[in-house]
Amino acid sequence: MEEDQHIVLGSSKIGQRIILLSLPVQGHLTPMFQLAYTLHNQGFKITIVHPQQFSPDQSKYPHFTFKSISDGFDIQNHMPEKPSPSFLVTYLNNHCIDSFRDCLAELLAEPNEPPVACLITDAEYYLTQDVANSLKVPRLVFWVCNIVSVLVYRDLPFFYDKGYFNLTIKGVFLFSSSKS
């Protein structure tokens, strides 16, 4: 039977690591740390990967291991005058892929650590799927939102198509519409 290949909570098969990567904003970090504590209480060793410039206070989480990835972020040189709501997400996805791949490969190769059961990432970190696939690590997506967010995501294309949004930064239209 293939049971040995699966994670079974509450069994002696735990003793594996789970790697988590959350967006560095409060509404994403808090639920991710709550999930981390729940998994830790089930016997998993937790490793939190975070962008270098957005490090959580590690003293508040003594049971977890932290690894930073280079993000190249410098607020004076990279922050636009009027950033869009998606600026940070886009920036991190574009600038962290290589350092995240290197970090994950390092974590997988650590000889005195338990095996990695899976990678749990914030839904907005779309860069992580290709990295997880290339390193053959199962990835779970953690999406923290409320019902209002779900409805907004569902209806955004309608409002763009109707022309209710004209979101530009320095003359560049941020969203495509079927009318463009």
Side-chain angles (χ1 to χ4, degrees), residues 12-65:
S12 61
K13 291 183 177 74
I14 307 265
Q16 296 179 333
R17 282 186 296 170
I18 295 182
I19 300 169
L20 296 101
L21 175 64
S22 175
L23 280 180
V25 293
Q26 194 62 39
H28 293 251
L29 284 170
T30 300
M32 188 70 86
F33 277 110
Q34 290 170 344
L35 175 63
Y37 270 115
T38 300
L39 293 168
H40 174 30
N41 288 335
Q42 292 294 322
F44 289 97
K45 182 172 182 180
I46 303 297
T47 300
I48 306 288
V49 175
H50 60 86
Q52 190 173 28
Q53 296 300 317
F54 303 97
S55 180
D57 183 356
Q58 298 177 19
S59 67
K60 292 183 179 180
Y61 310 101
H63 304 300
F64 305 150
T65 302

Side-chain angles (χ1 to χ4, degrees), residues 70-136:
S70 174
D71 53 31
F73 191 79
D74 175 2
I75 198 160
Q76 292 180 335
N77 294 325
H78 294 110
M79 187 65 82
E81 191 174 308
K82 292 183 179 179
S84 72
S86 64
F87 170 76
L88 183 62
V89 172
T90 303
Y91 183 89
L92 292 174
N93 275 287
N94 290 337
H95 291 86
C96 291
I97 190 163
D98 292 332
S99 60
F100 177 68
R101 180 180 290 111
D102 294 345
C103 177
L104 188 56
E106 250 179 57
L107 290 169
L108 292 170
E110 289 180 335
N112 297 325
E113 292 291 333
V116 173
C118 68
L119 169 67
I120 301 175
T121 67
D122 207 295
E124 276 79 2
Y125 273 123
Y126 50 84
L127 70 94
T128 59
Q129 187 62 59
D130 287 340
V131 173
N133 289 348
S134 71
L135 296 173
K136 296 180 176 44

